[in-house]
C-alpha cells in the first residue's frame, strides 16, 4: 500500500519537474507598454524604505528598493507580465501588504503560514511551495503524516491538505518560499499560475477570470477593483486605491 502511494508521489514529482515552465502567456505588443521598473520608480512606490527601519522588529526581512529591484523585474519577466496596468496593480499590492517591503511574513497578528511580499495565505503559500520542482520535495518532506495515511492520494491534493496542518508546519512550509527570488515573485505567480489542482500542473491564476486581465491592462479603476475583489479576494479600501493610483502614476511617468 505504502509503496503504491510513494510511487504516486514520485510520479507526481516527475510530472512536476517536466512541467515546470511558466504557463505560456502571450504578451501582445498592444498590452506591452512598459519597460523594466527603474530604481527611482520602485523607490517612490515604497516611499523610500530604508533598512533597517528604525523601530522595526523585522530587520532581516526589510529590503530597500535597490535590493528588491532585480527580483521584482525578474518576477514580471518570468511570468510575462508586461503591461503598466498589471504591474501597477501587483506592485501596489506587494508594497501595501509588506509595508513598503519591510515585512516578509505576517506579524500582526502573526497568522501562521502567511507570507512573501504579497502576504499570501494558505493554501496559496503551500501551492507556491510545491510549484517549483526543486522545492516540492522539500515541501512534501515537511508534511507530517505522509506515512500514516497509506495510499491516500489526497496528500497530493493541493486544496484539502493545509487544513490539517499545525501552525508550526505551516510556518515551515512558508519558510521554503521566503527567499528574495521567490518572495518577490509570488504576486506574479498568484496572478498567473495559482489554483492548480495537481502537483506539476500549474493553474491559470486570475487570468481565467473574465475581463480581469483586460481591465487591468486598460488601467481602469473598475479593473483594479475587480482584481482586488475577485483575484486577491480582499476588500477595496481608500488606502489600497490611493496606493494603486499613485503606483500607476509613477509607472506611467506622471509624477
Ligand atoms: C511570453 O510571451 C511571449 C510572447 O507572446 C511568448 O513567446 C513566451 O512563450 C511567453 N513566456 C511565458 C513564460 O509565458
Ligand atoms: C506611501 O505614502 C503614501 C502617501 O503618503 C501612502 O498613501 C502609502 O500608504 C505609503 N505606502 C507605504 C508602503 O508606506
Ligand atoms: C494556531 O494559530 C491560530 C491563529 O493564530 C491560533 O488561534 C491558534 O491558537 C494556534 N494554535 C496553536 C496550537 O498554537
Ligand atoms: C525529488 O525526490 C525524488 C525522490 O527522492 C528524486 O528522484 C528527485 O530527483 C528529487 N527532485 C529534485 C528536483 O530534487
Ligand atoms: C498602455 O496600454 C493600455 C492598454 O492598451 C492603454 O489603455 C494605456 O493607455 C497605455 N498606457 C500608456 C502610457 O501608453
Amino acid at each position: 500500500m505504502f509503496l503504491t502511494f510513494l510511487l504516486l508521489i514520485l510520479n507526481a514529482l516527475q510530472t512536476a519537474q517536466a512541467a515546470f515552465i511558466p504557463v505560456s502567456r502571450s504578451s501582445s505588443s498592444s498590452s506591452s507598454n512598459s519597460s523594466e521598473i527603474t530604481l527611482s520608480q520602485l523607490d517612490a512606490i515604497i516611499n523610500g524604505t530604508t533598512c533597517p527601519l528604525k523601530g522595526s522588529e523585522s530587520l532581516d526581512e526589510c529590503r530597500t528598493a535597490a535590493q528588491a529591484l532585480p527580483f521584482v523585474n525578474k518576477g514580471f519577466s518570468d511570468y510575462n507580465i508586461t503591461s503598466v496596468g498589471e504591474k501597477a496593480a501587483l506592485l501596489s499590492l506587494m508594497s501595501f501588504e509588506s509595508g513598503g517591503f519591510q515585512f516578509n511574513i505576517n506579524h500582526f497578528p502573526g497568522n501562521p503560514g502567511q507570507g512573501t511580499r504579497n502576504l499570501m495565505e494558505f493554501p496559496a503559500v503551500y501551492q507556491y511551495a510545491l510549484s517549483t520542482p526543486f522545492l516540492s520535495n522539500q515541501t512534501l518532506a515537511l508534511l507530517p503524516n505522509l506515512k500514516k495515511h497509506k495510499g491516500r492520494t489526497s496528500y497530493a491534493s493541493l486544496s484539502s491538505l493545509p487544513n490539517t496542518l499545525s501552525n508550526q508546519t505551516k510556518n515551515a512550509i512558508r519558510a521554503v518560499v521566503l527567499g528574495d527570488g521567490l518572495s518577490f515573485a509570488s504576486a506574479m505567480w498568484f496572478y498567473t499560475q495559482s489554483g492548480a489542482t495537481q502537483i506539476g500542473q500549474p493553474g491559470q491564476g486570475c487570468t481565467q477570470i473574465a475581463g480581469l486581465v483586460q481591465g487591468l491592462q486598460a488601467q481602469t479603476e473598475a479593473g483594479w477593483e475587480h482584481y482586488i475583489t475577485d483575484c486577491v479576494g480582499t476588500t477595496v479600501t481608500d488606502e489600497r486605491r490611493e496606493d494603486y493610483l499613485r503606483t500607476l502614476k509613477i509607472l506611467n511617468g506622471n509624477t
Side-chain angles (χ1 to χ4, degrees), residues 29-34 83-85 214 216-220 251-252 254:
S29 50
S30 70
S31 65
S32 163
N33 54 10
S34 77
S83 76
V84 164
Q214 292 84 344
L216 284 182
Q217 289 184 350
Q219 306 182 5
T220 64
L251 294 188
N252 276 325
N254 302 326

Side-chain angles (χ1 to χ4, degrees), residues 7-30:
L7 287 174
L8 280 170
I9 288 282
L10 289 177
N11 265 336
L13 282 173
Q14 270 155 15
T15 316
Q17 283 157 40
F20 183 59
I21 297 164
V23 167
S24 186
R25 189 170 185 264
S26 53
S27 50
S28 67
S29 50
S30 70

Side-chain angles (χ1 to χ4, degrees), residues 83-95:
S83 76
V84 164
E86 288 170 291
K87 285 184 176 180
L90 273 58
L91 257 186
S92 62
L93 178 78
M94 290 161 67
S95 177

Side-chain angles (χ1 to χ4, degrees), residues 44-47 49 95-96 98-102 239 242-243 246:
I45 290 164
I46 65 172
N47 294 338
T49 295
S95 177
F96 182 88
S98 67
F101 299 163
Q102 285 177 78
E239 253 186 315
E242 226 171 82
D243 259 14
R246 202 171 54 84

Side-chain angles (χ1 to χ4, degrees), residues 110-112 167:
N111 193 24
N167 291 346

Side-chain angles (χ1 to χ4, degrees), residues 193-239:
Q193 294 196 10
S194 59
T197 52
Q198 279 179 47
I199 296 175
Q201 295 184 351
Q204 288 187 288
C206 308
T207 61
Q208 64 181 348
I209 302 172
L212 193 112
V213 170
Q214 292 84 344
L216 284 182
Q217 289 184 350
Q219 306 182 5
T220 64
E221 275 188 59
W224 170 80
E225 287 173 8
H226 195 188
Y227 168 72
I228 289 295
T229 308
D230 297 324
C231 174
V232 178
T234 188
T235 311
V236 167
T237 63
D238 290 346
E239 253 186 315

